[in-house]
Amino acid sequence: KLFFQKKKNLLHGYCGMAALLATLCVKPKYAHMDNDNYGRRITRCLECGDRILYGRTDKKFCCESCRQKHFYSTAKETRIFKRKVLAILSRNHEIFENLIREGKDSADLMELVLIGFVPWVITSYRRSGKHDEYNCFNIKYIMTRTRIYSIVKIRNLSVNLQAGMNTEDKQY
């Protein structure tokens, strides 16, 4: 009974809700806010941590430069991840191009991994009958646990690169 009374008391007021959420390991919606000595809400900047003394009560940043820094840093992680994935895909494509140039249509998976092939980074996947068909851009292959075979370059792959352009921008 004492446990439920404590929970009931925690539910009254913002501080009580924040304490309840903290006990449940859930981040409250306004984690960047705290209270001053007079019970008023004081907002802190998410980037630098300074107090925000003016503006809306749900304001998250003290100035435009802090807002830009915060969103730039979160977007930077995404850009780095994309760059790494594209580098791996380019390396895989280069390995397949070299195999096709040498006239090979199959290879041992471990040999490819030793020269830099990363098997779990692909551009598309399709289940075809009894085997799994993978693509690395315009190169199609079948992969088993130990071997990659049927490495084929797709010839008539047409991509409409002008699909996102305006009609005035298209070049004919």
Side-chain angles (χ1 to χ4, degrees):
K1 188 175 179 182
L2 183 63
F3 174 75
F4 290 111
Q5 285 177 345
K6 285 183 180 179
K7 276 210 170 191
K8 189 176 179 182
N9 290 337
L10 285 175
L11 293 176
H12 294 291
Y14 175 77
C15 293
M17 182 58 84
L20 176 64
L21 291 174
T23 59
L24 298 174
C25 299
V26 176
K27 188 175 180 182
K29 183 177 179 183
Y30 299 105
H32 62 285
M33 293 184 176
D34 56 359
N35 292 331
D36 66 358
N37 295 338
Y38 302 106
R40 295 177 296 201
R41 259 195 240 169
I42 295 181
T43 312
R44 296 200 176 270
C45 179
L46 289 176
E47 183 63 24
C48 66
D50 289 347
R51 295 172 111 192
I52 301 173
L53 302 173
Y54 61 90
R56 294 173 46 162
T57 57
D58 62 344
K59 196 171 178 181
K60 295 181 180 181
F61 303 100
C62 62
C63 61
E64 186 65 21
S65 64
C66 278
R67 187 184 70 79
Q68 289 175 352
K69 283 179 194 174
H70 180 76
F71 288 116
Y72 179 78
S73 64
T74 55
K76 185 178 181 180
E77 295 169 2
T78 304
R79 283 193 307 273
I80 290 170
F81 176 75
K82 285 180 181 179
R83 195 176 305 128
K84 286 179 181 178
V85 169
L86 281 174
I88 292 169
L89 282 169
S90 296
R91 178 69 181 141
N92 286 353
H93 191 268
E94 183 181 322
I95 290 169
F96 284 132
E97 285 279 336
N98 290 337
L99 289 172
I100 292 171
R101 212 175 295 122
E102 293 171 3
K104 296 180 180 179
D105 67 341
S106 67
D108 185 47
L109 183 59
M110 291 312 294
E111 289 176 10
L112 293 178
V113 168
L114 289 174
I115 61 173
F117 179 72
V118 182
W120 55 85
V121 181
I122 59 173
T123 55
S124 67
Y125 164 82
R126 184 173 77 115
R127 179 86 180 158
S128 176
K130 295 180 180 178
H131 58 270
D132 298 329
E133 204 171 87
Y134 299 90
N135 281 27
C136 180
F137 298 120
N138 63 336
I139 297 176
K140 180 173 64 171
Y141 59 96
I142 297 170
M143 185 168 55
T144 63
R145 290 178 183 245
T146 59
R147 193 147 187 83
I148 291 180
Y149 60 96
S150 297
I151 303 170
V152 180
K153 190 170 191 174
I154 303 170
R155 295 287 177 204
N156 296 326
L157 183 68
S158 62
V159 178
N160 188 2
L161 297 176
Q162 297 179 346
M165 298 174 66
N166 295 334
T167 54
E168 302 88 36
D169 298 338
K170 287 185 181 178
Q171 297 175 358
Y172 297 100

